[in-house]
Amino acid sequence: AAGAAVAAPMAAAAAAAAAAGEGTSVASEVEDEDVFTAQELRLEREVEQVLSELEATDAAVMALRAHLENATDDAERARTELAQLKGVAENWERAAAEGRREL
């Protein structure tokens, strides 16, 4: 938007310069300004796209971290439960062996 505001006065200046015989250098500056503005707009769109992709990637990373934390908690619970079950199985085996001896 700022480039368009600058381009109009520069075009008028180029026309005045051309009438005064200075022509090509100012006119080419106006064209360069238009091209540069188009490049700026393209780069701005690219930057916005990359930032949007970065935000999406950041959200995905956060979701994956939360998933990893949940999976880690689940694995720890499973290890604890497995240790308890092993203890119960050992106690059962001891009790069964004692019962066989008593018989």
Side-chain angles (χ1 to χ4, degrees):
V6 171
M10 288 186 71
E22 298 176 9
T24 58
S25 66
V26 175
S28 66
E29 287 178 20
V30 171
E31 290 173 11
D32 289 345
E33 181 65 30
D34 290 340
V35 170
F36 183 69
T37 300
Q39 289 174 344
E40 282 183 326
L41 293 174
R42 181 183 54 76
L43 289 173
E44 183 178 4
R45 284 191 302 270
E46 288 178 14
V47 166
E48 288 174 359
Q49 176 66 31
V50 169
L51 285 174
S52 178
E53 291 172 6
L54 178 61
E55 289 172 357
T57 302
D58 188 43
V61 167
M62 289 174 50
L64 288 170
R65 283 184 178 153
H67 185 69
L68 175 61
E69 186 176 332
N70 290 338
T72 301
D73 291 345
D74 290 346
E76 184 58 37
R77 265 192 303 280
R79 275 191 289 276
T80 301
E81 290 173 4
L82 182 59
Q84 289 173 347
L85 287 173
K86 285 180 179 180
V88 168
E90 289 171 4
N91 289 340
W92 184 267
E93 288 296 323
R94 267 185 261 140
E98 281 182 34
R100 282 191 294 270
R101 279 187 297 239
E102 289 180 6
L103 291 175

